[in-house]
Amino acid sequence: KQEVTQIPAALSVPEGENLVLNCSFTDSAIYNLQWFRQDPGKGLTSLLLIQSSQREQTSGRLNASLDKSSGRSTLYIAASQPGDSATYLCAVRLYPGTASKLTFGTGTRLQVTL
Amino acid sequence: EAGVTQFPSHSVIEKGQTVTLRCDPISGHDNLYWYRRVMGKEIKFLLHFVKESKQDESGMPNNRFLAERTGGTYSTLKVQPAELEDSGVYFCASSFSRDRGRKTEAFFGQGTRLTVV
């Protein structure tokens, strides 16, 4: 059974700092991994999707890496801003093709302070 | 392009009552998923439709939950009768059916917060 763990559960950093969020999964036979952010009372916004054959994906100040063999992914946020405050979730998908279900971690709640 | 929309955004019902949640996926998305997050826990999969057919309903907690997707468009999730432990946020997601790399990316709605009292 796939289990996804995110560390830390909560993080507070001052504006401008670079930070890393961690995600680990127990079954390395994943098809892809997706990072989301969730703002309070809102839905999930997809940030980055990494296929199992890829090592990293970048979008603006965000960089996600994937080490499938060790069951780890990291989300790097550069030059953090107060608007980055949200809960960040990683989720893995086991099967290709018709897009199987996602298995989620419990998330990291990030607060970026002024 | 409209995203995934869910109705209602909030619902407060008494134990034993019935509630129906609705999800309108992104137009053209054959895959539709329901997920749920209960307090303090991770988001968990409930079921997956491909068009109007149930592809995987292994996450449905019990027979008080009934999901339908008539005509392969919008979907409803009915809870009857509702229990206290059903409280949580119910998310719907949709995606294309073909494996085209990023096209399998799931897009989520804003969720329905259900409170059973």
Side-chain angles (χ1 to χ4, degrees):
Chain A
K1 180 189 169 194
Q2 178 73 274
E3 292 184 2
V4 180
T5 304
Q6 291 187 246
I7 295 173
L11 180 64
S12 180
V13 300
E15 182 180 13
E17 270 203 12
N18 303 324
L19 60 102
V20 175
L21 308 181
N22 297 289
C23 172
S24 61
F25 43 94
T26 54
D27 185 345
S28 62
I30 64 169
Y31 177 62
N32 60 35
L33 182 147
Q34 203 166 345
W35 281 94
F36 296 87
R37 71 173 278 168
Q38 183 181 16
D39 296 278
K42 302 286 181 62
L44 279 66
T45 301
S46 179
L47 298 173
L48 290 163
L49 183 147
I50 310 178
Q51 296 297 124
S52 61
S53 58
Q54 298 175 320
R55 297 285 293 184
E56 64 180 309
Q57 282 285 328
T58 298
S59 176
R61 294 181 295 107
L62 305 180
N63 176 278
S65 68
L66 175 64
D67 184 343
K68 185 181 157 184
S69 60
S70 68
R72 294 177 187 274
S73 176
T74 61
L75 180 67
Y76 174 82
I77 302 177
S80 59
Q81 303 171 358
D84 295 331
S85 299
T87 296
Y88 290 80
L89 298 159
C90 75
V92 299
R93 180 181 283 110
L94 290 179
Y95 308 114
T98 57
S100 69
K101 64 186 179 185
L102 291 165
T103 301
F104 282 85
T106 49
T108 294
R109 191 169 62 255
L110 172 66
Q111 183 174 10
V112 181
T113 58
L114 292 170
Chain B
E1 176 184 305
V4 177
T5 54
Q6 294 186 243
F7 305 94
S9 56
H10 294 85
S11 180
V12 180
I13 61 170
E14 293 184 352
K15 176 183 172 181
Q17 289 186 323
T18 297
V19 63
T20 301
L21 314 181
R22 173 171 168 146
C23 170
D24 287 74
I26 293 173
S27 178
H29 283 190
D30 289 335
N31 288 296
L32 187 150
Y33 305 83
W34 283 98
Y35 291 85
R36 176 175 76 169
R37 185 171 198 169
V38 296
M39 183 69 73
K41 300 285 186 65
E42 70 272 22
I43 297 172
K44 288 193 173 178
F45 167 81
L46 295 178
L47 87 160
H48 170 203
F49 283 100
V50 177
K51 297 185 181 179
E52 68 276 7
S53 299
K54 291 177 185 174
Q55 181 78 9
D56 180 357
E57 50 184 327
S58 61
M60 294 288 264
N62 52 60
N63 59 10
R64 295 185 294 102
F65 289 75
L66 175 64
E68 295 180 325
R69 191 182 182 194
T70 307
T73 55
Y74 70 91
S75 174
T76 58
L77 179 64
K78 179 190 287 188
V79 185
Q80 178 182 29
E83 298 290 343
L84 299 179
E85 63 264 26
D86 301 332
S87 296
V89 181
Y90 290 76
F91 292 101
C92 175
S94 70
S95 69
F96 283 112
S97 60
R98 290 179 57 190
D99 181 3
R100 291 183 278 177
R102 190 171 178 83
K103 290 296 185 181
T104 63
E105 181 180 4
F107 294 87
F108 280 73
Q110 83 282 8
T112 294
R113 182 174 296 278
L114 174 65
T115 303
V116 183
V117 297

